[in-house]
Coordinates of all heavy atoms in Angstrom, one line a residue:
L5 N 42.5 -56.5 -2.0 CA 42.8 -55.8 -0.8 C 43.0 -56.8 0.3 O 42.2 -57.7 0.5 CB 41.7 -54.8 -0.4 CG 42.0 -53.8 0.7 CD1 43.0 -52.8 0.3 CD2 40.7 -53.1 1.1
G7 N 43.2 -57.3 4.1 CA 42.8 -56.7 5.4 C 42.1 -55.3 5.2 O 41.8 -54.9 4.0
S8 N 41.9 -54.6 6.2 CA 41.2 -53.3 6.2 C 42.3 -52.2 6.2 O 43.4 -52.4 6.8 CB 40.3 -53.1 7.3 OG 39.3 -54.1 7.3
P9 N 42.1 -51.1 5.6 CA 43.0 -50.0 5.6 C 43.1 -49.4 7.1 O 42.1 -49.4 7.8 CB 42.4 -48.9 4.7 CG 40.9 -49.3 4.6 CD 40.9 -50.7 4.7
I10 N 44.3 -49.0 7.4 CA 44.6 -48.6 8.8 C 44.9 -47.1 8.8 O 45.9 -46.7 8.0 CB 45.7 -49.4 9.4 CG1 45.4 -50.9 9.4 CG2 46.0 -49.0 10.8 CD1 46.5 -51.8 9.8
L11 N 44.2 -46.3 9.6 CA 44.5 -44.9 9.7 C 45.5 -44.6 10.8 O 45.3 -45.1 11.9 CB 43.2 -44.2 9.9 CG 43.3 -42.6 10.2 CD1 43.8 -42.0 8.9 CD2 42.0 -42.1 10.6
K12 N 46.6 -43.9 10.4 CA 47.5 -43.4 11.4 C 47.3 -42.0 11.6 O 47.8 -41.1 10.7 CB 49.0 -43.8 11.0 CG 49.2 -45.3 10.8 CD 50.6 -45.5 10.4 CE 51.6 -45.1 11.5 NZ 53.1 -45.5 11.2
N16 N 48.5 -38.7 9.7 CA 47.4 -38.4 8.8 C 47.5 -39.2 7.5 O 47.5 -38.6 6.4 CB 47.2 -36.9 8.5 CG 45.9 -36.6 7.8 OD1 44.9 -37.3 8.0 ND2 45.9 -35.5 7.0
V17 N 47.9 -40.5 7.6 CA 48.0 -41.3 6.4 C 47.2 -42.6 6.7 O 46.9 -43.0 7.8 CB 49.5 -41.7 6.2 CG1 50.3 -40.5 5.8 CG2 50.1 -42.4 7.4
T18 N 46.9 -43.3 5.6 CA 46.2 -44.6 5.7 C 47.1 -45.7 5.1 O 47.5 -45.6 3.9 CB 44.9 -44.5 4.9 OG1 44.1 -43.4 5.4 CG2 44.1 -45.8 5.0
I19 N 47.3 -46.7 5.9 CA 48.1 -47.8 5.5 C 47.3 -48.8 4.7 O 46.3 -49.3 5.3 CB 48.8 -48.5 6.6 CG1 49.7 -47.5 7.4 CG2 49.6 -49.7 6.2 CD1 50.3 -48.0 8.6
V20 N 47.6 -49.1 3.5 CA 46.8 -50.0 2.6 C 47.7 -51.1 2.1 O 48.8 -50.8 1.6 CB 46.1 -49.2 1.5 CG1 45.3 -50.2 0.6 CG2 45.3 -48.1 2.0
L37 N 49.0 -44.0 2.1 CA 48.3 -43.0 1.3 C 48.0 -41.8 2.1 O 47.6 -42.0 3.3 CB 47.1 -43.6 0.7 CG 47.2 -44.8 -0.2 CD1 45.8 -45.3 -0.7 CD2 48.1 -44.5 -1.4
P38 N 48.2 -40.6 1.6 CA 47.9 -39.4 2.4 C 46.4 -39.3 2.7 O 45.6 -39.7 1.9 CB 48.3 -38.3 1.4 CG 49.3 -38.9 0.5 CD 48.8 -40.3 0.3
G39 N 46.1 -38.8 3.9 CA 44.8 -38.6 4.3 C 44.0 -39.8 4.8 O 44.6 -40.9 4.9
N40 N 42.8 -39.6 5.1 CA 41.9 -40.7 5.6 C 41.3 -41.4 4.5 O 40.4 -40.8 3.9 CB 40.9 -40.1 6.6 CG 40.1 -41.2 7.3 OD1 40.2 -42.4 6.9 ND2 39.2 -40.8 8.2
R41 N 41.7 -42.6 4.1 CA 41.1 -43.3 3.0 C 40.4 -44.6 3.5 O 40.1 -45.5 2.7 CB 42.3 -43.8 2.1 CG 43.2 -42.7 1.6 CD 42.5 -41.7 0.7 NE 42.0 -42.2 -0.5 CZ 42.7 -42.3 -1.6 NH1 43.9 -41.8 -1.7 NH2 42.2 -42.8 -2.7
T42 N 40.0 -44.6 4.8 CA 39.3 -45.8 5.3 C 37.9 -46.0 4.8 O 37.4 -47.1 4.9 CB 39.3 -45.7 6.8 OG1 38.6 -44.5 7.2 CG2 40.7 -45.7 7.4
H43 N 37.3 -44.9 4.2 CA 36.0 -45.0 3.7 C 35.9 -45.3 2.2 O 34.8 -45.5 1.6 CB 35.2 -43.8 4.0 CG 35.1 -43.4 5.5 ND1 34.4 -44.2 6.3 CD2 35.7 -42.5 6.2 CE1 34.4 -43.7 7.5 NE2 35.3 -42.7 7.5
D44 N 37.1 -45.4 1.5 CA 37.1 -45.7 0.1 C 36.8 -47.2 -0.1 O 37.2 -48.0 0.7 CB 38.5 -45.3 -0.5 CG 38.7 -43.8 -0.5 OD1 37.7 -43.0 -0.2 OD2 39.8 -43.3 -0.8
N45 N 36.2 -47.4 -1.3 CA 36.0 -48.9 -1.6 C 37.2 -49.5 -2.1 O 38.3 -48.9 -2.3 CB 34.9 -49.0 -2.6 CG 35.2 -48.3 -3.9 OD1 36.3 -48.4 -4.4 ND2 34.2 -47.7 -4.5
E46 N 37.2 -50.8 -2.2 CA 38.3 -51.7 -2.6 C 39.0 -51.2 -3.9 O 40.2 -51.1 -4.0 CB 38.0 -53.1 -2.6 CG 39.2 -54.1 -2.8 CD 38.8 -55.5 -2.7 OE1 37.6 -55.8 -2.4 OE2 39.7 -56.4 -2.9
E47 N 38.2 -51.0 -4.9 CA 38.7 -50.7 -6.2 C 39.5 -49.4 -6.2 O 40.6 -49.3 -6.8 CB 37.6 -50.6 -7.3 CG 37.0 -52.0 -7.5 CD 35.9 -51.9 -8.6 OE1 35.6 -50.8 -9.1 OE2 35.2 -52.9 -8.9
V48 N 38.9 -48.4 -5.5 CA 39.6 -47.1 -5.4 C 40.9 -47.2 -4.7 O 42.0 -46.7 -5.1 CB 38.7 -46.1 -4.7 CG1 39.4 -44.8 -4.4 CG2 37.4 -45.8 -5.6
L49 N 40.9 -48.0 -3.6 CA 42.2 -48.2 -2.8 C 43.2 -48.9 -3.6 O 44.4 -48.5 -3.6 CB 41.9 -48.9 -1.5 CG 41.1 -48.1 -0.5 CD1 40.7 -49.0 0.7 CD2 41.9 -46.9 0.0
I50 N 42.8 -49.9 -4.3 CA 43.8 -50.7 -5.1 C 44.4 -49.8 -6.2 O 45.6 -49.8 -6.4 CB 43.2 -51.9 -5.8 CG1 42.8 -53.0 -4.7 CG2 44.1 -52.6 -6.8 CD1 42.0 -54.1 -5.2
A52 N 44.6 -46.6 -6.1 CA 45.5 -45.6 -5.5 C 46.8 -46.1 -5.1 O 47.9 -45.5 -5.3 CB 44.8 -45.1 -4.2

Side-chain angles (χ1 to χ4, degrees):
L5 192 66
S8 300
I10 301 172
L11 176 65
K12 295 182 68 175
N16 193 28
V17 295
T18 303
I19 301 174
V20 181
L37 299 177
N40 184 357
R41 306 296 295 271
T42 58
H43 300 293
D44 293 351
N45 59 42
E46 184 174 357
E47 293 181 0
V48 173
L49 289 173
I50 291 173

